[in-house]
Amino acid sequence: MTAYRRFRDRIRIGPVEVATHYDGRGRDKHAAACTAPGCGFSADYTDRPAAELAARTHRCKA
């Protein structure tokens, strides 16, 4: 079963988008996902600076 997530506080750093969402237990989580075709990078973090750091240091393989 897939989870429906409503993202807020979205920013774009290069090809990577960073956004905040609630997990299934109502806690804030921060996601970083690359939007380049064929890349497939995405990760969830518990704090916003970690997600932004991942976005800044991401290098696409696509």
Side-chain angles (χ1 to χ4, degrees):
M1 182 170 130
T2 61
Y4 174 75
R5 293 190 177 101
R6 175 175 276 169
F7 293 100
R8 63 187 194 282
D9 219 6
R10 292 174 43 187
I11 63 167
R12 189 174 184 99
I13 301 172
V16 181
E17 285 194 20
V18 177
T20 303
H21 65 92
Y22 292 116
D23 68 354
R25 298 176 183 235
R27 296 174 294 203
D28 274 343
K29 294 289 183 176
H30 308 278
C34 186
T35 59
C39 181
F41 167 76
S42 67
D44 281 335
Y45 297 93
T46 55
D47 53 354
R48 182 74 181 213
E52 290 183 9
L53 178 65
R56 292 182 203 290
T57 59
H58 172 68
R59 299 290 175 253
C60 279
K61 295 178 183 170

